[in-house]
Short mmCIF file of all heavy atoms in Angstrom, two decimals:
data_model
loop_
_atom_site.label_atom_id
_atom_site.label_comp_id
_atom_site.label_asym_id
_atom_site.label_seq_id
_atom_site.Cartn_x
_atom_site.Cartn_y
_atom_site.Cartn_z
N MET A 1 0.85 -1.19 0.00
CA MET A 1 0.00 0.00 0.00
C MET A 1 0.89 1.25 0.00
O MET A 1 1.84 1.34 0.77
CB MET A 1 -0.92 -0.03 1.21
CG MET A 1 -1.84 1.14 1.31
SD MET A 1 -3.10 0.81 2.55
CE MET A 1 -4.43 1.68 1.79
N ILE A 2 0.55 2.18 -0.86
CA ILE A 2 1.36 3.39 -1.01
C ILE A 2 1.43 4.18 0.29
O ILE A 2 2.50 4.67 0.68
CB ILE A 2 0.80 4.28 -2.15
CG1 ILE A 2 0.87 3.55 -3.48
CG2 ILE A 2 1.53 5.61 -2.22
CD1 ILE A 2 2.24 3.13 -3.89
N ALA A 3 0.32 4.32 0.99
CA ALA A 3 0.31 5.11 2.22
C ALA A 3 1.30 4.57 3.25
O ALA A 3 1.95 5.34 3.95
CB ALA A 3 -1.09 5.18 2.81
N ASP A 4 1.44 3.25 3.33
CA ASP A 4 2.40 2.67 4.26
C ASP A 4 3.83 3.05 3.89
O ASP A 4 4.65 3.38 4.75
CB ASP A 4 2.27 1.14 4.30
CG ASP A 4 0.96 0.68 4.89
OD1 ASP A 4 0.34 1.44 5.68
OD2 ASP A 4 0.52 -0.43 4.56
N SER A 5 4.13 3.02 2.61
CA SER A 5 5.47 3.38 2.14
C SER A 5 5.74 4.86 2.37
O SER A 5 6.83 5.24 2.81
CB SER A 5 5.63 3.05 0.66
OG SER A 5 5.48 1.68 0.44
N VAL A 6 4.75 5.70 2.08
CA VAL A 6 4.91 7.14 2.29
C VAL A 6 5.11 7.42 3.77
O VAL A 6 6.00 8.19 4.16
CB VAL A 6 3.69 7.91 1.74
CG1 VAL A 6 3.72 9.37 2.18
CG2 VAL A 6 3.66 7.82 0.21
N ARG A 7 4.31 6.79 4.62
CA ARG A 7 4.44 7.00 6.07
C ARG A 7 5.83 6.57 6.55
O ARG A 7 6.45 7.25 7.36
CB ARG A 7 3.36 6.24 6.83
CG ARG A 7 3.42 6.48 8.32
CD ARG A 7 2.38 5.66 9.09
NE ARG A 7 2.55 5.85 10.51
CZ ARG A 7 3.48 5.25 11.24
NH1 ARG A 7 4.30 4.38 10.69
NH2 ARG A 7 3.57 5.47 12.54
N THR A 8 6.33 5.46 6.06
CA THR A 8 7.67 4.99 6.44
C THR A 8 8.73 6.02 6.06
O THR A 8 9.63 6.31 6.86
CB THR A 8 7.97 3.63 5.76
OG1 THR A 8 7.02 2.67 6.22
CG2 THR A 8 9.37 3.16 6.05
N ILE A 9 8.62 6.58 4.86
CA ILE A 9 9.57 7.60 4.42
C ILE A 9 9.47 8.83 5.31
O ILE A 9 10.48 9.37 5.76
CB ILE A 9 9.32 7.96 2.94
CG1 ILE A 9 9.71 6.77 2.04
CG2 ILE A 9 10.10 9.21 2.54
CD1 ILE A 9 9.23 6.88 0.60
N TRP A 10 8.26 9.29 5.57
CA TRP A 10 8.08 10.47 6.42
C TRP A 10 8.65 10.23 7.82
O TRP A 10 9.32 11.09 8.37
CB TRP A 10 6.61 10.83 6.53
CG TRP A 10 6.05 11.60 5.38
CD1 TRP A 10 6.39 11.51 4.07
CD2 TRP A 10 5.02 12.58 5.45
NE1 TRP A 10 5.63 12.36 3.32
CE2 TRP A 10 4.78 13.03 4.14
CE3 TRP A 10 4.26 13.11 6.50
CZ2 TRP A 10 3.82 14.00 3.86
CZ3 TRP A 10 3.32 14.07 6.20
CH2 TRP A 10 3.10 14.50 4.90
N CYS A 11 8.35 9.07 8.41
CA CYS A 11 8.86 8.76 9.75
C CYS A 11 10.38 8.82 9.77
O CYS A 11 10.98 9.39 10.69
CB CYS A 11 8.36 7.40 10.22
SG CYS A 11 6.61 7.35 10.68
N ARG A 12 11.00 8.23 8.77
CA ARG A 12 12.47 8.23 8.70
C ARG A 12 13.01 9.65 8.55
O ARG A 12 13.90 10.06 9.29
CB ARG A 12 12.92 7.35 7.55
CG ARG A 12 14.43 7.27 7.41
CD ARG A 12 14.86 6.43 6.24
NE ARG A 12 14.50 7.07 4.98
CZ ARG A 12 13.82 6.49 4.00
NH1 ARG A 12 13.42 5.23 4.10
NH2 ARG A 12 13.53 7.16 2.90
N GLU A 13 12.49 10.39 7.61
CA GLU A 13 13.03 11.71 7.32
C GLU A 13 12.69 12.76 8.38
O GLU A 13 13.47 13.67 8.61
CB GLU A 13 12.57 12.19 5.93
CG GLU A 13 13.06 11.31 4.79
CD GLU A 13 14.57 11.16 4.72
OE1 GLU A 13 15.30 12.07 5.17
OE2 GLU A 13 15.04 10.14 4.18
N LEU A 14 11.55 12.62 9.03
CA LEU A 14 11.18 13.54 10.10
C LEU A 14 11.67 13.05 11.47
O LEU A 14 11.48 13.72 12.47
CB LEU A 14 9.67 13.75 10.13
CG LEU A 14 9.11 14.58 8.98
CD1 LEU A 14 7.62 14.37 8.82
CD2 LEU A 14 9.43 16.06 9.19
N GLN A 15 12.28 11.87 11.48
CA GLN A 15 12.82 11.25 12.69
C GLN A 15 11.77 11.15 13.80
O GLN A 15 11.97 11.53 14.94
CB GLN A 15 14.06 12.01 13.17
CG GLN A 15 15.16 11.98 12.15
CD GLN A 15 16.40 12.73 12.57
OE1 GLN A 15 16.40 13.49 13.54
NE2 GLN A 15 17.48 12.51 11.84
N ARG A 16 10.61 10.60 13.40
CA ARG A 16 9.50 10.38 14.32
C ARG A 16 8.89 9.03 13.99
O ARG A 16 8.96 8.57 12.86
CB ARG A 16 8.42 11.45 14.15
CG ARG A 16 8.91 12.86 14.39
CD ARG A 16 7.80 13.84 14.13
NE ARG A 16 6.71 13.62 15.06
CZ ARG A 16 6.16 14.59 15.79
NH1 ARG A 16 6.58 15.82 15.68
NH2 ARG A 16 5.17 14.32 16.60
N ASP A 17 8.25 8.42 14.98
CA ASP A 17 7.58 7.15 14.71
C ASP A 17 6.09 7.22 15.00
O ASP A 17 5.39 6.22 14.97
CB ASP A 17 8.23 6.00 15.48
CG ASP A 17 8.19 6.21 16.99
OD1 ASP A 17 7.60 7.20 17.46
OD2 ASP A 17 8.74 5.35 17.70
N ASP A 18 5.60 8.43 15.27
CA ASP A 18 4.21 8.59 15.68
C ASP A 18 3.38 9.36 14.66
O ASP A 18 2.39 10.00 14.99
CB ASP A 18 4.16 9.32 17.02
CG ASP A 18 4.80 10.71 16.97
OD1 ASP A 18 5.55 11.00 16.01
OD2 ASP A 18 4.53 11.51 17.89
N ILE A 19 3.73 9.27 13.40
CA ILE A 19 3.03 10.01 12.35
C ILE A 19 1.80 9.23 11.89
O ILE A 19 1.90 8.06 11.55
CB ILE A 19 3.97 10.29 11.17
CG1 ILE A 19 5.14 11.17 11.63
CG2 ILE A 19 3.21 10.94 10.02
CD1 ILE A 19 6.21 11.37 10.58
N SER A 20 0.66 9.92 11.89
CA SER A 20 -0.56 9.30 11.36
C SER A 20 -0.79 9.81 9.93
O SER A 20 -0.16 10.77 9.50
CB SER A 20 -1.77 9.65 12.23
OG SER A 20 -2.25 10.94 11.93
N VAL A 21 -1.69 9.17 9.22
CA VAL A 21 -1.93 9.52 7.82
C VAL A 21 -2.53 10.92 7.66
O VAL A 21 -2.48 11.49 6.58
CB VAL A 21 -2.81 8.49 7.10
CG1 VAL A 21 -2.10 7.14 7.00
CG2 VAL A 21 -4.17 8.36 7.75
N ASP A 22 -3.08 11.48 8.75
CA ASP A 22 -3.71 12.79 8.68
C ASP A 22 -2.87 13.91 9.29
O ASP A 22 -3.31 15.06 9.32
CB ASP A 22 -5.08 12.75 9.34
CG ASP A 22 -6.04 11.84 8.59
OD1 ASP A 22 -6.05 11.88 7.35
OD2 ASP A 22 -6.75 11.06 9.25
N ASP A 23 -1.67 13.59 9.77
CA ASP A 23 -0.80 14.63 10.34
C ASP A 23 -0.25 15.51 9.23
O ASP A 23 0.12 15.04 8.15
CB ASP A 23 0.37 14.00 11.10
CG ASP A 23 -0.03 13.44 12.44
OD1 ASP A 23 -1.06 13.87 12.99
OD2 ASP A 23 0.71 12.56 12.96
N ASP A 24 -0.19 16.81 9.51
CA ASP A 24 0.31 17.78 8.55
C ASP A 24 1.84 17.84 8.60
O ASP A 24 2.43 17.97 9.67
CB ASP A 24 -0.27 19.16 8.87
CG ASP A 24 0.13 20.20 7.85
OD1 ASP A 24 1.25 20.75 7.98
OD2 ASP A 24 -0.66 20.46 6.94
N PHE A 25 2.46 17.73 7.44
CA PHE A 25 3.92 17.74 7.31
C PHE A 25 4.54 18.94 8.03
O PHE A 25 5.51 18.80 8.76
CB PHE A 25 4.29 17.77 5.82
CG PHE A 25 5.75 17.94 5.54
CD1 PHE A 25 6.62 16.86 5.66
CD2 PHE A 25 6.27 19.16 5.16
CE1 PHE A 25 7.98 17.01 5.40
CE2 PHE A 25 7.61 19.32 4.89
CZ PHE A 25 8.47 18.24 5.00
N PHE A 26 3.97 20.11 7.84
CA PHE A 26 4.54 21.33 8.41
C PHE A 26 4.33 21.40 9.92
O PHE A 26 5.21 21.84 10.65
CB PHE A 26 3.99 22.56 7.69
CG PHE A 26 4.29 22.52 6.23
CD1 PHE A 26 3.31 22.15 5.32
CD2 PHE A 26 5.57 22.78 5.75
CE1 PHE A 26 3.59 22.09 3.96
CE2 PHE A 26 5.86 22.71 4.40
CZ PHE A 26 4.87 22.36 3.51
N ALA A 27 3.19 20.91 10.40
CA ALA A 27 2.92 20.87 11.84
C ALA A 27 3.86 19.89 12.54
O ALA A 27 4.15 20.05 13.73
CB ALA A 27 1.47 20.49 12.10
N LEU A 28 4.37 18.91 11.79
CA LEU A 28 5.31 17.93 12.36
C LEU A 28 6.74 18.46 12.38
O LEU A 28 7.65 17.77 12.81
CB LEU A 28 5.28 16.64 11.53
CG LEU A 28 3.99 15.83 11.58
CD1 LEU A 28 3.98 14.77 10.50
CD2 LEU A 28 3.80 15.21 12.96
N GLY A 29 6.94 19.67 11.90
CA GLY A 29 8.28 20.24 11.87
C GLY A 29 8.94 20.15 10.51
O GLY A 29 10.13 20.43 10.37
N GLY A 30 8.18 19.75 9.51
CA GLY A 30 8.71 19.63 8.16
C GLY A 30 9.11 20.97 7.59
O GLY A 30 8.47 21.98 7.87
N GLN A 31 10.19 20.96 6.82
CA GLN A 31 10.66 22.17 6.15
C GLN A 31 11.28 21.77 4.83
O GLN A 31 11.30 20.59 4.47
CB GLN A 31 11.59 22.97 7.05
CG GLN A 31 12.54 22.16 7.91
CD GLN A 31 13.88 21.86 7.27
OE1 GLN A 31 14.10 22.13 6.09
NE2 GLN A 31 14.77 21.28 8.01
N SER A 32 11.78 22.74 4.09
CA SER A 32 12.18 22.52 2.70
C SER A 32 13.28 21.47 2.52
O SER A 32 13.24 20.69 1.57
CB SER A 32 12.59 23.82 2.04
OG SER A 32 13.69 24.39 2.71
N VAL A 33 14.25 21.42 3.40
CA VAL A 33 15.33 20.44 3.25
C VAL A 33 14.79 19.02 3.43
O VAL A 33 15.12 18.12 2.66
CB VAL A 33 16.48 20.72 4.27
CG1 VAL A 33 17.50 19.61 4.24
CG2 VAL A 33 17.12 22.06 3.98
N ILE A 34 13.93 18.84 4.41
CA ILE A 34 13.32 17.52 4.63
C ILE A 34 12.41 17.17 3.46
O ILE A 34 12.40 16.04 2.99
CB ILE A 34 12.55 17.49 5.97
CG1 ILE A 34 13.52 17.69 7.13
CG2 ILE A 34 11.78 16.18 6.12
CD1 ILE A 34 12.84 17.91 8.47
N MET A 35 11.68 18.16 2.96
CA MET A 35 10.79 17.92 1.81
C MET A 35 11.60 17.45 0.60
O MET A 35 11.18 16.55 -0.11
CB MET A 35 10.01 19.18 1.47
CG MET A 35 8.95 18.96 0.42
SD MET A 35 7.97 20.43 0.09
CE MET A 35 6.86 20.42 1.47
N ALA A 36 12.76 18.05 0.39
CA ALA A 36 13.62 17.65 -0.73
C ALA A 36 14.10 16.21 -0.55
O ALA A 36 14.16 15.44 -1.52
CB ALA A 36 14.79 18.60 -0.87
N ARG A 37 14.43 15.82 0.67
CA ARG A 37 14.86 14.44 0.93
C ARG A 37 13.71 13.46 0.70
O ARG A 37 13.91 12.37 0.15
CB ARG A 37 15.41 14.30 2.36
CG ARG A 37 16.75 14.98 2.55
CD ARG A 37 17.50 14.52 3.78
NE ARG A 37 16.69 14.39 4.97
CZ ARG A 37 16.77 15.19 6.04
NH1 ARG A 37 17.62 16.19 6.06
NH2 ARG A 37 16.01 14.99 7.08
N ILE A 38 12.51 13.84 1.11
CA ILE A 38 11.34 13.00 0.89
C ILE A 38 11.07 12.88 -0.61
O ILE A 38 10.78 11.79 -1.11
CB ILE A 38 10.11 13.56 1.64
CG1 ILE A 38 10.31 13.34 3.16
CG2 ILE A 38 8.82 12.91 1.15
CD1 ILE A 38 9.26 14.01 4.02
N GLN A 39 11.19 13.98 -1.32
CA GLN A 39 10.99 13.97 -2.77
C GLN A 39 11.98 12.99 -3.42
O GLN A 39 11.60 12.21 -4.30
CB GLN A 39 11.17 15.38 -3.31
CG GLN A 39 10.73 15.56 -4.74
CD GLN A 39 10.91 16.99 -5.21
OE1 GLN A 39 11.80 17.71 -4.78
NE2 GLN A 39 10.05 17.41 -6.11
N GLY A 40 13.22 13.00 -2.99
CA GLY A 40 14.22 12.06 -3.51
C GLY A 40 13.88 10.62 -3.16
O GLY A 40 14.06 9.71 -3.98
N ALA A 41 13.38 10.40 -1.95
CA ALA A 41 13.00 9.05 -1.53
C ALA A 41 11.83 8.54 -2.36
O ALA A 41 11.77 7.34 -2.68
CB ALA A 41 12.66 9.04 -0.04
N PHE A 42 10.89 9.42 -2.70
CA PHE A 42 9.78 9.00 -3.56
C PHE A 42 10.31 8.50 -4.89
O PHE A 42 9.83 7.49 -5.42
CB PHE A 42 8.79 10.15 -3.79
CG PHE A 42 7.93 10.51 -2.61
CD1 PHE A 42 7.27 11.72 -2.58
CD2 PHE A 42 7.77 9.66 -1.52
CE1 PHE A 42 6.46 12.07 -1.51
CE2 PHE A 42 6.98 10.01 -0.44
CZ PHE A 42 6.31 11.22 -0.44
N ILE A 43 11.30 9.18 -5.44
CA ILE A 43 11.88 8.75 -6.72
C ILE A 43 12.61 7.42 -6.55
O ILE A 43 12.38 6.47 -7.29
CB ILE A 43 12.85 9.83 -7.27
CG1 ILE A 43 12.07 11.09 -7.66
CG2 ILE A 43 13.65 9.29 -8.46
CD1 ILE A 43 12.94 12.30 -7.93
N ASP A 44 13.49 7.35 -5.53
CA ASP A 44 14.31 6.16 -5.33
C ASP A 44 13.51 4.93 -4.91
O ASP A 44 13.78 3.82 -5.36
CB ASP A 44 15.39 6.43 -4.27
CG ASP A 44 16.40 7.46 -4.72
OD1 ASP A 44 16.49 7.75 -5.93
OD2 ASP A 44 17.11 7.98 -3.84
N GLU A 45 12.55 5.12 -4.01
CA GLU A 45 11.86 3.99 -3.40
C GLU A 45 10.51 3.65 -4.03
O GLU A 45 10.09 2.50 -4.01
CB GLU A 45 11.69 4.24 -1.90
CG GLU A 45 13.03 4.36 -1.19
CD GLU A 45 12.90 4.78 0.27
OE1 GLU A 45 11.97 4.31 0.95
OE2 GLU A 45 13.74 5.59 0.72
N LEU A 46 9.83 4.66 -4.57
CA LEU A 46 8.51 4.43 -5.15
C LEU A 46 8.52 4.54 -6.67
O LEU A 46 7.54 4.20 -7.32
CB LEU A 46 7.48 5.41 -4.58
CG LEU A 46 7.31 5.41 -3.06
CD1 LEU A 46 6.26 6.44 -2.65
CD2 LEU A 46 6.95 4.03 -2.55
N GLY A 47 9.62 5.06 -7.21
CA GLY A 47 9.73 5.19 -8.66
C GLY A 47 8.83 6.26 -9.25
O GLY A 47 8.42 6.17 -10.39
N VAL A 48 8.53 7.29 -8.46
CA VAL A 48 7.64 8.35 -8.92
C VAL A 48 8.21 9.71 -8.53
O VAL A 48 8.74 9.88 -7.44
CB VAL A 48 6.21 8.16 -8.35
CG1 VAL A 48 6.18 8.28 -6.85
CG2 VAL A 48 5.24 9.12 -8.98
N GLU A 49 8.13 10.65 -9.46
CA GLU A 49 8.58 12.01 -9.18
C GLU A 49 7.37 12.85 -8.81
O GLU A 49 6.42 12.97 -9.59
CB GLU A 49 9.29 12.60 -10.40
CG GLU A 49 9.94 13.92 -10.09
CD GLU A 49 10.86 14.40 -11.20
OE1 GLU A 49 11.20 13.60 -12.09
OE2 GLU A 49 11.23 15.57 -11.16
N VAL A 50 7.41 13.41 -7.62
CA VAL A 50 6.32 14.24 -7.12
C VAL A 50 6.80 15.69 -7.16
O VAL A 50 7.74 16.04 -6.45
CB VAL A 50 5.91 13.84 -5.69
CG1 VAL A 50 4.82 14.76 -5.16
CG2 VAL A 50 5.45 12.39 -5.65
N PRO A 51 6.16 16.54 -7.97
CA PRO A 51 6.57 17.94 -8.02
C PRO A 51 6.43 18.61 -6.65
O PRO A 51 5.52 18.28 -5.88
CB PRO A 51 5.60 18.56 -9.03
CG PRO A 51 5.06 17.42 -9.81
CD PRO A 51 5.06 16.25 -8.88
N ILE A 52 7.31 19.53 -6.37
CA ILE A 52 7.33 20.20 -5.07
C ILE A 52 6.00 20.90 -4.78
O ILE A 52 5.54 20.90 -3.65
CB ILE A 52 8.54 21.15 -4.95
CG1 ILE A 52 8.94 21.36 -3.49
CG2 ILE A 52 8.31 22.45 -5.64
CD1 ILE A 52 9.69 20.24 -2.89
N ASP A 53 5.35 21.46 -5.81
CA ASP A 53 4.07 22.12 -5.57
C ASP A 53 3.01 21.14 -5.08
O ASP A 53 2.18 21.49 -4.24
CB ASP A 53 3.58 22.90 -6.79
CG ASP A 53 3.26 22.02 -7.98
OD1 ASP A 53 3.95 21.01 -8.20
OD2 ASP A 53 2.30 22.35 -8.71
N GLN A 54 3.07 19.90 -5.56
CA GLN A 54 2.12 18.89 -5.09
C GLN A 54 2.39 18.50 -3.64
O GLN A 54 1.46 18.17 -2.91
CB GLN A 54 2.14 17.66 -6.00
CG GLN A 54 1.51 17.90 -7.34
CD GLN A 54 0.06 18.31 -7.24
OE1 GLN A 54 -0.70 17.79 -6.43
NE2 GLN A 54 -0.34 19.26 -8.07
N MET A 55 3.64 18.58 -3.24
CA MET A 55 3.96 18.27 -1.84
C MET A 55 3.40 19.36 -0.92
O MET A 55 2.94 19.07 0.18
CB MET A 55 5.45 18.06 -1.68
CG MET A 55 5.91 16.82 -2.46
SD MET A 55 7.65 16.46 -2.31
CE MET A 55 7.75 15.93 -0.62
N PHE A 56 3.41 20.60 -1.38
CA PHE A 56 2.80 21.69 -0.60
C PHE A 56 1.28 21.57 -0.59
O PHE A 56 0.65 21.83 0.44
CB PHE A 56 3.20 23.06 -1.17
CG PHE A 56 4.54 23.54 -0.71
CD1 PHE A 56 5.65 23.43 -1.53
CD2 PHE A 56 4.71 24.10 0.56
CE1 PHE A 56 6.90 23.87 -1.11
CE2 PHE A 56 5.95 24.55 0.98
CZ PHE A 56 7.04 24.44 0.15
N LEU A 57 0.70 21.19 -1.72
CA LEU A 57 -0.75 21.08 -1.81
C LEU A 57 -1.30 19.85 -1.10
O LEU A 57 -2.49 19.80 -0.77
CB LEU A 57 -1.18 21.02 -3.29
CG LEU A 57 -0.97 22.29 -4.10
CD1 LEU A 57 -1.17 22.03 -5.58
CD2 LEU A 57 -1.89 23.40 -3.60
N ASN A 58 -0.46 18.86 -0.86
CA ASN A 58 -0.86 17.60 -0.23
C ASN A 58 0.04 17.31 0.97
O ASN A 58 0.89 16.44 0.92
CB ASN A 58 -0.76 16.46 -1.26
CG ASN A 58 -1.70 16.65 -2.42
OD1 ASN A 58 -2.90 16.53 -2.27
ND2 ASN A 58 -1.15 17.00 -3.57
N PRO A 59 -0.17 18.05 2.07
CA PRO A 59 0.77 17.96 3.19
C PRO A 59 0.53 16.84 4.20
O PRO A 59 1.11 16.85 5.28
CB PRO A 59 0.60 19.33 3.87
CG PRO A 59 -0.85 19.63 3.66
CD PRO A 59 -1.15 19.10 2.28
N THR A 60 -0.31 15.87 3.84
CA THR A 60 -0.51 14.73 4.74
C THR A 60 -0.15 13.45 4.00
O THR A 60 -0.14 13.40 2.77
CB THR A 60 -1.97 14.63 5.22
OG1 THR A 60 -2.81 14.31 4.11
CG2 THR A 60 -2.44 15.90 5.90
N VAL A 61 0.13 12.41 4.76
CA VAL A 61 0.43 11.11 4.16
C VAL A 61 -0.75 10.67 3.29
O VAL A 61 -0.57 10.21 2.17
CB VAL A 61 0.73 10.06 5.25
CG1 VAL A 61 0.75 8.65 4.67
CG2 VAL A 61 2.05 10.37 5.96
N ALA A 62 -1.97 10.86 3.80
CA ALA A 62 -3.16 10.44 3.06
C ALA A 62 -3.28 11.18 1.73
O ALA A 62 -3.52 10.57 0.68
CB ALA A 62 -4.41 10.64 3.90
N SER A 63 -3.11 12.50 1.77
CA SER A 63 -3.33 13.26 0.54
C SER A 63 -2.22 13.06 -0.48
O SER A 63 -2.49 12.94 -1.68
CB SER A 63 -3.54 14.76 0.84
OG SER A 63 -2.40 15.33 1.43
N ILE A 64 -0.97 13.00 -0.04
CA ILE A 64 0.12 12.79 -1.01
C ILE A 64 0.07 11.36 -1.55
O ILE A 64 0.38 11.13 -2.72
CB ILE A 64 1.51 13.17 -0.44
CG1 ILE A 64 2.52 13.42 -1.58
CG2 ILE A 64 2.03 12.12 0.52
CD1 ILE A 64 2.24 14.59 -2.44
N SER A 65 -0.36 10.42 -0.74
CA SER A 65 -0.51 9.04 -1.21
C SER A 65 -1.59 8.95 -2.28
O SER A 65 -1.42 8.27 -3.29
CB SER A 65 -0.86 8.11 -0.05
OG SER A 65 0.19 8.09 0.89
N ALA A 66 -2.70 9.66 -2.08
CA ALA A 66 -3.77 9.68 -3.07
C ALA A 66 -3.26 10.30 -4.37
O ALA A 66 -3.58 9.81 -5.46
CB ALA A 66 -4.98 10.44 -2.54
N TYR A 67 -2.48 11.36 -4.24
CA TYR A 67 -1.91 11.99 -5.44
C TYR A 67 -1.01 10.99 -6.18
O TYR A 67 -1.12 10.83 -7.38
CB TYR A 67 -1.12 13.25 -5.08
CG TYR A 67 -0.35 13.79 -6.25
CD1 TYR A 67 -0.99 14.52 -7.24
CD2 TYR A 67 1.00 13.51 -6.40
CE1 TYR A 67 -0.29 14.99 -8.35
CE2 TYR A 67 1.71 13.97 -7.51
CZ TYR A 67 1.05 14.71 -8.47
OH TYR A 67 1.75 15.15 -9.58
N ILE A 68 -0.13 10.32 -5.44
CA ILE A 68 0.80 9.36 -6.06
C ILE A 68 0.01 8.23 -6.74
O ILE A 68 0.31 7.85 -7.86
CB ILE A 68 1.79 8.81 -5.02
CG1 ILE A 68 2.76 9.92 -4.59
CG2 ILE A 68 2.55 7.60 -5.57
CD1 ILE A 68 3.61 9.58 -3.38
N GLU A 69 -1.02 7.72 -6.06
CA GLU A 69 -1.83 6.66 -6.65
C GLU A 69 -2.54 7.14 -7.92
O GLU A 69 -2.72 6.37 -8.84
CB GLU A 69 -2.83 6.13 -5.63
CG GLU A 69 -2.17 5.31 -4.55
CD GLU A 69 -3.10 4.87 -3.45
OE1 GLU A 69 -4.24 5.39 -3.37
OE2 GLU A 69 -2.69 4.04 -2.65
N SER A 70 -2.89 8.41 -7.97
CA SER A 70 -3.58 8.94 -9.15
C SER A 70 -2.64 8.99 -10.37
O SER A 70 -3.12 9.02 -11.50
CB SER A 70 -4.14 10.35 -8.87
OG SER A 70 -3.12 11.33 -8.93
N LEU A 71 -1.34 8.99 -10.13
CA LEU A 71 -0.39 8.99 -11.23
C LEU A 71 -0.34 7.65 -11.93
O LEU A 71 0.02 7.56 -13.10
CB LEU A 71 1.02 9.35 -10.72
CG LEU A 71 1.18 10.73 -10.11
CD1 LEU A 71 2.59 10.88 -9.56
CD2 LEU A 71 0.85 11.82 -11.12
N ASP A 72 -0.65 6.59 -11.20
CA ASP A 72 -0.69 5.23 -11.73
C ASP A 72 0.62 4.81 -12.41
O ASP A 72 0.62 4.09 -13.38
CB ASP A 72 -1.86 5.08 -12.72
CG ASP A 72 -2.23 3.62 -12.93
OD1 ASP A 72 -2.09 2.83 -11.97
OD2 ASP A 72 -2.65 3.26 -14.04
N THR A 73 1.73 5.32 -11.87
CA THR A 73 3.04 4.96 -12.41
C THR A 73 3.96 4.37 -11.35
O THR A 73 5.15 4.22 -11.57
CB THR A 73 3.74 6.18 -13.02
OG1 THR A 73 3.90 7.18 -12.00
CG2 THR A 73 2.98 6.75 -14.18
N VAL A 74 3.39 4.08 -10.20
CA VAL A 74 4.21 3.61 -9.08
C VAL A 74 4.70 2.19 -9.34
O VAL A 74 3.94 1.32 -9.75
CB VAL A 74 3.39 3.67 -7.76
CG1 VAL A 74 4.21 3.14 -6.60
CG2 VAL A 74 2.94 5.09 -7.50
N SER A 75 5.98 1.98 -9.10
CA SER A 75 6.57 0.64 -9.22
C SER A 75 5.98 -0.26 -8.15
O SER A 75 5.90 0.13 -7.00
CB SER A 75 8.08 0.70 -9.03
OG SER A 75 8.63 1.69 -9.81
N ARG A 76 5.61 -1.42 -8.54
CA ARG A 76 5.02 -2.34 -7.54
C ARG A 76 5.87 -3.58 -7.43
O ARG A 76 6.50 -4.02 -8.25
CB ARG A 76 3.60 -2.70 -7.93
CG ARG A 76 2.74 -1.45 -7.98
CD ARG A 76 1.27 -1.81 -7.90
NE ARG A 76 0.41 -0.78 -8.38
CZ ARG A 76 0.16 0.35 -7.75
NH1 ARG A 76 0.74 0.62 -6.63
NH2 ARG A 76 -0.68 1.22 -8.23
#
């Protein structure tokens, strides 16, 4: 499931293990450097490039996962 993979990436990059699918990236302490690392992890681990504007528009695990699934290009 994409949401599980996205949550794993966020937990690692934000150095937290208590992130829920509805937590806001910025409220969790997220900032541009972490966002860039997450963007790279999406490419490396999920095989999908997520534009930075979409990461701002979809600041939760649930919303960015839905966006990624809508691309229908994720490596499985």
Side-chain angles (χ1 to χ4, degrees):
M1 180 168 213
I2 298 301
D4 293 335
S5 298
V6 169
R7 183 182 175 281
T8 298
I9 291 167
W10 279 34
C11 287
R12 180 182 68 232
E13 298 302 333
L14 288 162
Q15 298 179 347
R16 301 177 63 129
D17 59 4
D18 60 343
I19 297 174
S20 80
V21 295
D22 295 317
D23 285 338
D24 184 277
F25 174 78
F26 301 102
L28 293 167
Q31 38 90 352
S32 61
V33 172
I34 296 170
M35 187 177 281
R37 289 198 316 250
I38 289 172
Q39 191 179 31
F42 287 163
I43 293 168
D44 294 343
E45 297 173 40
L46 303 180
V48 64
E49 188 169 346
V50 177
I52 205 77
D53 65 324
Q54 288 300 320
M55 295 181 70
F56 278 101
L57 292 169
N58 297 289
T60 67
V61 169
S63 63
I64 200 66
S65 297
Y67 171 78
I68 291 169
E69 288 174 347
S70 78
L71 297 175
D72 200 32
T73 59
V74 178
S75 311
R76 299 199 200 288

